[in-house]
Amino acid sequence: MKTFLSIGAGPGMGFATAERFAREGFQVVLAARRLPRAQELADRLMSKGYKAEARKVDASDAKSVAELVAEVETQHGSVDVLHYNAASLRKATLAEQPRDSFNFDLAVNIGGALAAAQAVAPKMEAQRSGTILLTGGGFALAPSPDFLSISIGKAGIRALAHGLFEQFRAKGIHVATVTVCTLVAPESKEASAVADQFWHLHSQPKDSWTVEANYGL
């Protein structure tokens, strides 16, 4: 059974995407800063007959991310699909945001994604297969001065996907992002539509791989 790892699993796009992959036969590992929240989401999947489990991870800490990936690979053999969905959404202008909180936001919004990609890449390269999915956002295309740190973070997510795409494609790894340009509530049609976008990206034939899909643009 293939393994889907969600880092930053939440009740909206994170859960919907995990469920979409579970429906396709994946076992799902949901990881979040708060273990009870991740466990609640895993329990919801298990109640529907899917195979799911919960883990704790601090997406702002590269060591925590690497340790999570190592644990999942040890238990399940590999991470076939990584979904990085963690984000620190803070409303603050440049003048309003202390440097410490800005650095924390960047560590979650982009640093954790970089650490996760670094952690899963070696085994994916060895197997010459794997998918790295990144949740992007419309702030990457239209930055907001009131949400500065998440704007920079989503721009970084988009740059990471585009920057790795060709290099990783040559190694059999598909890196892709969905740039979500609308609000997404839990259990909404938007959440399901974004999940379908992620599944479509993962399912593309190798000679037709694309790096980005836009939703709600």
Side-chain angles (χ1 to χ4, degrees), residues 121-202:
K123 184 153 283 190
M124 287 184 175
E125 288 180 21
Q127 297 176 164
R128 296 199 60 80
S129 68
T131 304
I132 298 173
L133 301 172
L134 308 173
T135 299
F139 284 139
L141 307 177
S144 168
D146 295 322
F147 293 89
L148 195 58
S149 62
I150 189 68
S151 294
I152 294 171
K154 290 308 181 185
I157 286 289
R158 188 168 186 266
L160 181 64
H162 282 263
L164 294 179
F165 178 70
E166 291 294 346
Q167 180 188 37
F168 273 37
R169 177 163 64 173
K171 300 175 181 179
I173 304 168
H174 188 184
V175 180
T177 183
V178 177
T179 299
V180 183
C181 303
T182 188
L183 294 175
V184 178
E187 299 183 67
S188 63
K189 65 178 183 179
E190 291 82 7
S192 296
V194 171
D196 285 339
Q197 292 267 34
F198 278 122
W199 175 254
H200 173 71
L201 287 167
H202 167 71

Side-chain angles (χ1 to χ4, degrees), residues 4-100:
F4 175 94
L5 171 61
S6 175
I7 296 179
M13 290 179 285
F15 180 80
T17 304
E19 184 173 18
R20 183 70 176 84
F21 278 77
R23 286 207 312 267
E24 301 294 339
F26 282 74
Q27 58 187 352
V28 170
V29 181
L30 301 171
R33 183 182 296 272
R34 293 179 56 248
L35 182 58
R37 182 177 76 163
Q39 188 62 60
E40 179 184 351
L41 298 177
D43 289 344
R44 285 173 57 189
L45 288 177
M46 288 188 288
S47 72
K48 298 181 180 185
Y50 302 127
K51 188 171 182 180
E53 61 188 73
R55 298 289 180 91
K56 183 176 180 178
V57 68
D58 180 355
S60 72
D61 182 352
K63 181 180 178 182
S64 177
V65 171
E67 288 175 348
L68 168 68
V69 170
E71 289 172 4
V72 174
E73 289 179 341
T74 297
Q75 181 176 352
H76 298 296
S78 66
V79 174
D80 299 285
V81 178
L82 166 71
H83 180 207
Y84 191 84
N85 189 61
S88 177
L89 180 60
R90 187 189 307 273
K91 185 177 182 181
T93 64
L94 181 67
E96 294 168 341
Q97 187 163 43
R99 185 182 304 168
D100 288 348

Side-chain angles (χ1 to χ4, degrees), residues 100-118:
D100 288 348
S101 65
F102 183 74
N103 288 339
F104 171 81
D105 291 347
L106 292 187
V108 174
N109 294 334
I110 184 61
L114 180 66
Q118 288 173 327

